[in-house]
Amino acid sequence: MAEKNTKKNSKKRKQISEWPRHRIQFLWALITNSYLAGFLQGKIYTGKLKNLCVPGLNCYSCPGALGSCPIGALQAVIGSRNYQWAFYVSGFLIFVGALVGRFVCGFLCPFGLFQDLLHKIPFPKKLKTFRGDRLLRKLKYVILILFVILLPMFLTDILGQGSPYFCKLICPAGTLEGGIPLVLLNPVMRGAIGWLYTWKNALLIAMILLSIVIYRPFCKYLCPLGAIYSVFNPISVFRYRVDKEKCTNCGACARACKMNCDPVKNANDPECIRCGLCKKSCPTGAVCSGWKSEKKETSHGKQAAV
Amino acid sequence: MSRRRWNFRYAGIFLAAAGLCLMIFGIFRGEMSVVFDKAVRICMECIGIG
Ligand code: SF4
Ligand code: SF4
Ligand code: SF4
């Protein structure tokens, strides 16, 4: 009997393994950062693919990066002398957001994967939530408006060019993917480091330590790209649903969610990164996701077709 | 409720199409070359030097 239970438990544990998702994250990170010569020579890729943005936060100054970071690109165009607004990049973000929302955060962002892995490091007291957690999550919208849009737009030099202030003062992905490898591989860069490099590395270290204790602190509180995609979660074509007929209100999905969402209350919460943990943990299979219309996916066809 | 969901679904498709139009408009304005120029030079701000 005991053996049967153990088997059952291990099956359950196996069921909610996050490794299938991590494999996709790894694969995507490898494909989009596969310029090996960059890592060997301390340079970056300069080919045509850099015209295109990747959906996740992936620094274009990473030696392996094949595409452009959408947040860096947004600031580059907004801060340029010739353009006031970045239609190409904002259009790309609206397109991706409207199709899949924060699915990008769950599956297609290397910095999200980095935090996922850090959170697997054992620590005696992991913090699921704290007082002020919900309020602090609004900070990412402030960062988006202030550092990504307003400062590059209005704080310009005499030539009318604005710096990418988010990249310059905050982004730990840039430090991790670009700053550290390039400074290690390139002696010229090593000679140029100053207080800004120290500040950005301190921020990165703080983020690393926090990620061990709190699940994805950068995504929850600071990331402007997550902030953009979060706005689209409630209306994106790919979406989550809870079949009210199957749901027994056991709360297993909400307990499993590391982003502190409750799919029963809101299956498309702006904070949901569409990791699928809730789906796997639901004992009755009431949580589902997909592109199909309500009518095809749940049993209340008639109702949904109204 | 179901009508709201129906609307949301179409809002997603409509916005994706609008995003695509904006992208094309931006490309025609030449914004892609700004992105390219920035992305093929090591960004001093990103790496914490500039
Ligand atoms: S520093 Fe960050 S935001 Fe800027 S381009 Fe690099 S990854 Fe993107
Ligand atoms: S919130 Fe930002 S860093 Fe986190 S997974 Fe989403 S895009 Fe990546
Ligand atoms: S609600 Fe579900 S899919 Fe969304 S973040 Fe939580 S566990 Fe993942």
Side-chain angles (χ1 to χ4, degrees):
Chain A
M1 184 66 185
E3 200 188 281
K4 212 174 163 187
N5 271 343
T6 327
K7 259 191 187 165
K8 223 172 153 186
N9 283 341
S10 73
K11 203 177 162 196
K12 180 97 187 159
R13 263 203 302 276
K14 227 171 158 184
Q15 260 179 2
I16 53 170
S17 160
E18 287 188 282
W19 286 101
R21 178 171 67 93
H22 294 333
R23 276 197 278 277
I24 299 172
Q25 290 172 292
F26 266 120
L27 194 68
W28 181 257
L30 280 178
I31 293 170
T32 49
N33 294 282
S34 56
Y35 184 63
L36 272 183
F39 289 109
L40 297 174
Q41 297 162 6
K43 289 181 184 161
I44 62 168
Y45 169 73
T46 55
K48 290 262 180 282
L49 282 174
K50 279 261 169 98
N51 277 302
L52 306 174
C53 291
V54 286
L57 197 76
N58 193 146
C59 194
Y60 41 35
S61 289
C62 168
L66 294 181
S68 290
C69 165
I71 289 296
L74 194 63
Q75 294 166 91
V77 182
I78 291 175
S80 79
R81 214 171 1 152
N82 301 329
Y83 301 102
Q84 273 300 305
W85 185 250
F87 289 101
Y88 165 49
V89 189
S90 57
F92 171 79
L93 293 171
I94 293 171
F95 176 71
V96 176
L99 281 186
V100 297
R102 285 189 90 176
F103 173 86
V104 172
C105 299
F107 286 82
L108 305 175
C109 178
F111 203 67
L113 169 65
F114 178 63
Q115 292 170 87
D116 277 354
L117 298 178
L118 284 170
H119 196 65
K120 292 189 188 298
I121 297 173
F123 188 77
K125 199 163 167 25
K126 299 263 180 189
L127 213 57
K128 198 165 179 202
T129 188
F130 53 88
R131 254 185 85 178
D133 179 4
R134 278 277 147 184
L135 188 67
L136 206 56
R137 296 203 192 199
K138 306 278 183 261
L139 185 59
K140 57 181 175 288
Y141 301 100
V142 177
I143 288 176
L144 168 68
I145 292 166
L146 195 64
F147 289 87
V148 178
I149 300 173
L150 294 180
L151 289 179
M153 199 179 261
F154 297 112
L155 200 61
T156 52
D157 60 16
I158 42 167
L159 295 173
Q161 288 171 327
S163 292
Y165 285 96
F166 172 74
C167 300
K168 185 171 178 166
L169 300 173
I170 301 173
C171 187
T175 315
L176 177 77
E177 296 161 11
I180 293 176
L182 285 176
V183 163
L184 285 178
L185 294 166
N186 196 320
V188 185
M189 300 284 158
R190 248 193 323 270
I193 59 178
W195 70 269
L196 205 56
Y197 192 77
T198 314
W199 161 249
K200 282 197 70 184
N201 272 277
L203 260 183
L204 173 65
I205 292 167
M207 236 2 95
I208 290 174
L209 295 177
L210 268 178
S211 297
I212 299 172
V213 186
I214 300 172
Y215 182 67
R216 288 199 184 211
F218 180 72
C219 302
K220 280 177 178 164
Y221 312 116
L222 302 175
C223 182
L225 188 53
I228 295 174
Y229 290 140
S230 76
V231 174
F232 292 96
N233 255 8
I235 51 117
S236 64
V237 185
F238 176 81
R239 52 201 301 104
Y240 269 67
R241 291 182 193 90
V242 174
D243 187 334
K244 298 274 189 253
E245 278 175 13
K246 287 187 189 165
C247 175
T248 57
N249 269 314
C250 69
C253 54
R255 279 195 302 276
C257 180
K258 295 183 187 174
M259 294 298 284
N260 304 352
C261 304
D262 184 348
V264 178
K265 285 192 189 134
N266 182 2
N268 294 287
D269 191 302
E271 291 298 319
C272 166
I273 56 167
R274 284 153 183 197
C275 67
L277 258 184
C278 51
K279 223 163 95 173
K280 287 183 176 177
S281 65
C282 176
T284 62
V287 186
C288 49
S289 64
W291 307 87
K292 286 186 240 156
S293 68
E294 190 96 345
K295 190 179 157 189
K296 286 176 198 154
E297 227 173 57
T298 71
S299 48
H300 353 262
K302 232 178 171 178
Q303 229 186 341
V306 179
Chain B
M1 183 63 188
S2 50
R3 176 166 289 275
R4 231 177 93 211
R5 283 204 191 124
W6 186 91
N7 286 340
F8 278 0
R9 192 179 145 66
Y10 284 93
I13 295 171
F14 172 78
L15 268 177
L20 211 57
C21 294
L22 285 178
M23 259 171 93
I24 294 166
F25 175 65
I27 292 168
F28 271 108
R29 289 208 316 163
E31 290 174 17
M32 217 180 207
S33 66
V34 180
V35 172
F36 182 77
D37 286 347
K38 180 76 180 168
V40 295
R41 295 194 182 97
I42 291 176
C43 168
M44 292 303 166
E45 287 91 350
C46 295
I47 66 171
I49 291 179

